Amino acid sequence: MGIFDSLMTHLENGNISEINVKSVSEVKDQANGTTPELSPEEHRRLSGIVLATAALSLYVAVSDNNISLDEYMEMDLNIAKINNQTYIPDDIMAEVKKIYDKQNIKWPEVTVFLDSVSDMDLIAMKEGVTKIANASDGISASEQQVIDQFNSYIINRGQ
């Protein structure tokens, strides 16, 4: 439920005192062209998730030496899903662009980004990895190897 729907529900039910003031404040900030501030911890965590998602997405997409339009779209959707949940600052998006522009990322580089993400966030990334691999003509052998490699990384890191 979006902020507007939540506000309308509270107004319809006469629960005006229950309105989330921060949400209303964020709406006002967005209307004024400002963006909500992230704490340094929130920025670090968000940066880790977004950059790990971008690096892993690209790694999966290039694993078969061909990035299809469908894979590009899935890569963008992975970042968009995060962006729909929270504001991604411009400095993080600039780093995502650097990752995507490289187009030749290796597993050791990907693990640098993955190392900064919590185990729970890694598990959440599994669906996006499979969707990218499956985006064009099903999962190839090389894409399956990447999925297996990522799953092994998660298991080994949890030990």
Side-chain angles (χ1 to χ4, degrees):
M1 178 184 310
I3 294 170
F4 180 75
D5 294 331
S6 177
L7 177 61
M8 292 308 296
T9 300
H10 288 296
L11 289 174
E12 290 168 1
N13 294 333
N15 297 331
I16 192 73
S17 63
E18 294 179 22
I19 295 175
N20 183 337
V21 176
K22 183 176 179 185
S23 296
V24 172
S25 170
E26 288 175 358
V27 169
K28 287 180 184 177
D29 286 345
Q30 290 172 344
N32 293 330
T34 61
T35 55
E37 290 291 319
L38 296 173
S39 71
E41 177 60 27
E42 290 170 325
H43 188 276
R44 185 199 61 71
R45 180 176 180 266
L46 180 62
S47 177
I49 292 169
V50 171
L51 297 178
T53 298
L56 185 60
S57 296
L58 180 62
Y59 185 67
V60 172
V62 301
S63 67
D64 60 0
N65 297 315
N66 179 35
I67 304 177
S68 71
L69 179 59
D70 291 334
E71 288 171 330
Y72 272 121
M73 290 172 50
E74 284 296 332
M75 290 166 54
D76 285 345
L77 281 173
N78 282 342
I79 300 300
K81 284 178 188 175
I82 298 168
N83 202 20
N84 284 339
Q85 295 173 5
T86 187
Y87 166 73
I88 300 176
D90 292 340
D91 63 321
I92 297 174
M93 289 307 295
E95 291 298 315
V96 168
K97 183 176 179 348
K98 286 181 189 176
I99 291 169
Y100 284 173
D101 287 348
K102 187 173 183 178
Q103 299 230 348
N104 187 20
I105 194 163
K106 304 293 182 209
W107 182 247
E109 295 169 273
V110 174
T111 59
V112 169
F113 294 107
L114 296 177
D115 288 346
S116 70
V117 177
S118 74
D119 292 343
M120 293 303 294
D121 290 329
L122 284 175
I123 292 168
M125 289 180 192
K126 288 176 75 168
E127 180 182 354
V129 168
T130 303
K131 282 185 176 182
I132 290 170
N134 202 28
S136 61
D137 302 330
I139 299 174
S140 69
S142 57
E143 290 168 330
Q144 186 60 53
Q145 286 178 329
V146 169
I147 292 169
D148 294 343
Q149 187 176 31
F150 180 58
N151 288 335
S152 292
Y153 172 85
I154 294 171
I155 292 167
N156 291 332
R157 198 172 103 167
Q159 294 179 353

